[in-house]
Amino acid sequence: MVRLAPDGRELDRRVVGTAELAVHVAERQQAEPGARWVWHDTARRYPAMLDAGVRVGRCHDLRLCHAILSTSSSVARAADLRAATQWDAVAAPEGPTGDALFTLADDPAARSGPPEGIDEALAEFARQRAAIAGAADPRRLEILCAAESAGALIAAELRHAGLPWDAAVHEDILIAELGRRPAAGGLPARVAELAAAVRAQLRDPQANLDSPAKLLRSLHRIDIPARTTAKWELRDFDHPVIELLLEYKRLHRLLTANGWAWLAEWVHDGRFRPVYIPAGVVTGRWAASGGGALQIPRQLREAMRADSGWRLVVADVAQLEPRVLAAMARDLALAESARGHDLYAGIVERGAVAERHEAKVAMLGAMYGATTGDSGRLVPRLRRTYPRAMELVDAAARAGENGEQVSTWLGRTSPPASAGWRARQASAAGEGASAADRDRARRAAGDRGRFTRNFVVQGTAAEWALAWLGEVRARLARLDPVPTAEAAPRSGAAFARVPHLAFFLHDELIVHTPARHAEAVAEIVREAAQAAASLLFGDFPIDFPLDLHISRTGAKG
C-alpha cells in the first residue's frame, strides 16, 4: 500500500495483507473522507471489501482508464501507454465491417488481468497522469476517467446489493404467460400449442421454429418471401401464420431468457445479482456477462419488489440521445424543442414534421444513419430545421466513411478501421478493381459511417449516464442510515441500512431506499440529472427530464 501526494509523490509505503485491506481502507477513509484509491482493477479488489461491509468513496481504476487514455485521440503523447500492453483488455471481436459497436469489449473470463505489483501500478498511474496532463483538453479526460472509475464501483455494488426480486411473483407471471412449468425437456402448454398452430399454418409438422434459416425456408414454401425472421419484417406480410409466429417467438424468448432455469440460477435470497461490465461496449455503454440485466422484459418488472418498509425509486430519461446531441452540437433550436416537454412533440411544434411518430423515426434515422424508407424521406427535414445537430452526426459519418476515427464529448475514441476494411477500400481503388469490388467498398464505407455517426452520440450519452449515476451515488451516501429494525439485511452489510443503487440500464436507474427517505431520494435523482448536464455541457440550456415514480415494484405505468 502506497500513499501518494496530490502531485504523485510517494509519501509512505506499507505492506497490508489481503485480510487487513478492508479494515485499512475503512480507517483511511475515516481519517481522509475524500481519499481516492488507485488500484489495478475494481472488479477484483472491491467485492471483498463490500463483503466486509466497507464502501469506497472514490477510486481510479487503472485498467479501465488505460483503455480510454491509450486509444484517445485527445492524448498527444500516448506511446508509453500503448507500449504498456500488459494493461490492455482483450480486444472486442470484429463485426462484419470490422467495427464492434454492440459487442463486449472485455470478457473477464478471457483476460488474465493487469499486473498486480505495486511498482507496476505506480508506473502505470504516472503514465496516465502524464497522458491527461498533456491532452488537448485535460479536464474532459479527467472527468471521463473519474466517471468510468465511479462506474466500476457502482457495478460491483449493484451485484453485491442486488435488485430486490420476488421469485413467487416471477413464477406467477411465467404460469400466466406460458402455462404450468413443464417436465424436463418439454414446453409449457401455451408455447407447445402455439408451436403446433404455427406448424399447421406452415403445413409442415416438423418445421424448426427456432432456426432462422430453416424457418425462412418454411415461410418461403408458403409464399412468404421474408429475408429475415425479424419482427419488423414479418409484420409486413398479411398471412394468418404471422401473428401466431410472433407470439410464439415472444413466449419462447421469455421461456429461454427469463424462464424457470433463469430464475433458479440468478435469483437467490430475494435478490437478482447480475454481472455488469462497465464499458463492455466500445462506445462506453455497459454490458452484462451474466444474468441478462440489460434485457429484462417489461412483463417481469412486477417481480422487482422492494423489501418491507422500503421503496423503489425508478427513474429514466426521456429521449436521452437526442438531448445529448443537441448539447454536443450547441444546437439551440433542438434544445428549445426539448425544453420542458417531450422532444418529439417539440420537433412537431417547430414544423419539421407533421406527427410525433415521424419525429421519432427521423431523429433515430439521423443518429443511426438510415437512408431509406420513412427515415430517408424525413431526415432532410431535420437538416433544414436543426442544421447544427445534423451536421455533427453527418460529419462523424463522413469521417467514418473515410477511415478516420471519432471521439465522444469527453474523449473516448472509436476503434481504428480494421485491416480488412482498409484492404477493401484499397482493392476498390486499384486499377483492376471490378464493379463488385467497388460495391463492397461502398457498402463497407457506409457501414463504418453509420458506426461512427452513432458512436459520438451513444458514447456521449453513456458518459452523461455515468455522471448521473456517480452523482446519485455520492448524494445518497450523505443520507443517514435507518435504525437496525428497519434494515434490509439481504442487501448486505454495506447497504442494509442506507438507500443504494439497485439497477442500471443505459438511461434508467432504480434506487432501493427505506420508505422514510423515498422523497429525498427522488429529489436527489432529479437534481443529479441536471448536475450531470452541467458537468458535461456547462451552461448550455438543455434539460434531462425524468419519468420518475416511487413504488413497491419496478413496473412502469
Side-chain angles (χ1 to χ4, degrees):
M1 181 76 64
V2 175
R3 189 160 165 262
L4 301 176
D7 62 4
R9 288 179 298 108
E10 185 173 328
L11 298 178
D12 58 62
R13 182 183 293 219
R14 58 178 290 193
V15 176
V16 178
T18 302
E20 306 171 81
L21 184 59
V23 174
H24 177 80
V25 168
E27 291 174 348
R28 196 74 247 157
Q29 290 195 150
Q30 185 70 24
E32 294 182 52
R36 179 175 57 156
W37 299 88
V38 180
W39 51 40
H40 307 73
D41 189 344
T42 304
R44 295 184 177 206
R45 295 291 186 189
Y46 195 31
M49 297 182 194
L50 290 170
D51 290 342
V54 175
R55 298 174 66 192
V56 166
R58 298 195 306 155
C59 82
H60 181 95
D61 187 302
L62 290 169
R63 179 180 64 85
L64 289 173
C65 293
H66 177 90
I68 292 169
L69 298 171
S70 63
T71 59
S72 176
S73 60
S74 300
V75 175
R77 295 184 298 276
D80 288 348
L81 276 171
R82 294 194 185 107
T85 56
Q86 66 271 30
W87 290 87
D88 290 343
V90 172
E94 289 187 356
T97 66
D99 301 302
L101 181 56
F102 299 110
T103 57
L104 297 186
D106 178 23
D107 178 358
R111 63 180 171 84
S112 59
E116 291 290 313
I118 288 178
D119 289 330
E120 290 90 342
L122 288 173
E124 174 62 18
F125 188 45
R127 287 190 290 267
Q128 292 187 15
R129 287 170 61 94
I132 292 173
D137 191 335
R139 179 180 174 275
R140 291 194 186 189
L141 283 178
E142 284 175 353
I143 293 172
L144 180 54
C145 286
E148 191 89 326
S149 298
L153 294 173
I154 292 165
E157 292 171 357
L158 289 171
R159 178 160 174 75
H160 178 85
L163 176 64
W165 197 276
D166 191 317
V169 171
H170 186 147
E171 183 152 15
D172 287 344
I173 293 169
L174 293 179
I175 291 170
E177 290 272 357
L178 307 175
R180 287 284 172 186
R181 185 175 187 176
L187 290 174
R190 187 147 182 254
V191 181
E193 291 167 3
L194 279 167
V198 170
R199 291 187 177 107
Q201 289 289 337
L202 293 172
R203 300 194 293 275
D204 182 359
Q206 303 302 318
N208 187 328
L209 307 185
D210 306 318
S211 164
K214 292 178 180 179
L215 177 58
L216 277 177
R217 286 199 290 271
S218 295
L219 291 169
H220 293 167
R221 281 195 290 269
I222 61 169
D223 298 324
I224 298 177
R227 293 171 300 172
T228 75
T229 59
K231 177 172 65 175
W232 62 266
E233 181 170 354
L234 291 177
R235 287 197 180 280
D236 287 341
F237 299 101
D238 182 16
H239 191 285
V241 75
I242 299 300
E243 289 303 321
L244 292 170
L245 178 57
L246 292 178
E247 181 65 359
Y248 167 83
K249 286 164 66 73
R250 183 183 75 84
L251 295 185
H252 192 264
R253 169 68 182 170
L254 175 62
L255 174 65
T256 55
N258 300 102
W260 286 276
W262 180 92
L263 188 58
E265 181 176 3
W266 290 102
V267 177
H268 301 283
D269 193 28
R271 293 291 185 274
F272 166 43
R273 291 187 167 89
V275 180
Y276 291 97
I277 305 177
V281 176
V282 295
T283 58
R285 266 191 171 191
W286 284 18
S289 69
L294 307 183
Q295 297 177 334
I296 299 297
R298 179 177 294 272
Q299 66 261 46
L300 288 182
R301 293 181 69 98
E302 191 68 30
M304 301 175 181
R305 297 261 168 150
D307 288 3
S308 177
W310 287 57
R311 297 291 183 269
L312 299 179
V313 176
V314 182
D316 64 81
V317 190
Q319 303 106 25
L320 173 58
E321 290 187 0
R323 293 172 190 276
V324 161
L325 173 58
M328 293 173 70
R330 291 325 207 221
D331 193 317
L332 289 169
L334 185 55
E336 181 61 33
S337 294
R339 190 165 303 124
H341 55 52
D342 176 83
L343 179 142
Y344 299 131
I347 292 174
V348 173
E349 289 175 9
R350 202 163 186 95
V353 295
E355 298 181 17
R356 186 186 183 279
H357 80 274
E358 290 184 326
K360 184 173 182 179
V361 167
M363 184 57 70
L364 293 177
M367 293 188 298
Y368 286 86
T371 57
T372 60
D374 286 343
S375 292
R377 175 175 59 85
L378 295 169
V379 168
R381 301 186 191 180
L382 291 190
R383 287 196 178 96
R384 290 193 293 272
T385 310
Y386 308 111
R388 292 179 68 95
M390 295 304 104
E391 174 54 24
L392 187 146
V393 288
D394 288 345
R398 289 194 297 271
E401 290 166 2
N402 292 330
E404 301 166 13
Q405 293 172 270
V406 296
S407 295
T408 62
W409 185 251
L410 293 181
R412 192 188 304 271
T413 298
S414 65
S418 68
W421 186 92
R422 293 194 178 280
R424 282 191 289 275
Q425 304 307 310
S427 176
E431 287 186 10
S434 66
D437 290 334
R438 289 190 290 271
D439 187 53
R440 281 192 293 270
R442 277 195 299 271
R443 286 200 303 270
D447 288 343
R448 181 163 172 78
R450 283 185 286 276
F451 166 80
T452 51
R453 172 187 292 274
N454 187 241
F455 183 96
V456 294
V457 181
Q458 187 184 108
T460 303
E463 292 165 354
W464 179 90
L466 276 180
W468 183 36
L469 278 176
E471 189 66 25
V472 168
R473 177 182 184 266
R475 295 183 184 213
L476 291 179
R478 301 169 196 160
L479 296 177
D480 294 331
V482 296
T484 303
E486 297 178 30
R490 291 179 292 184
S491 294
F495 300 106
R497 298 172 55 208
V498 294
H500 53 271
L501 286 158
F503 183 72
F504 172 58
L505 173 60
H506 304 322
D507 57 4
E508 177 188 5
L509 61 78
I510 297 178
V511 177
H512 190 214
T513 177
R516 67 165 67 189
H517 286 318
E519 292 293 343
V521 167
E523 190 58 28
I524 281 173
V525 171
R526 288 190 193 94
E527 291 175 350
Q530 208 53 46
S534 297
L535 179 67
L536 265 67
F537 305 121
D539 59 1
F540 184 77
I542 186 71
D543 59 358
F544 290 86
L546 304 180
D547 177 7
L548 187 149
H549 66 274
I550 300 168
S551 175
R552 286 292 311 280
T553 80
K556 296 183 179 180

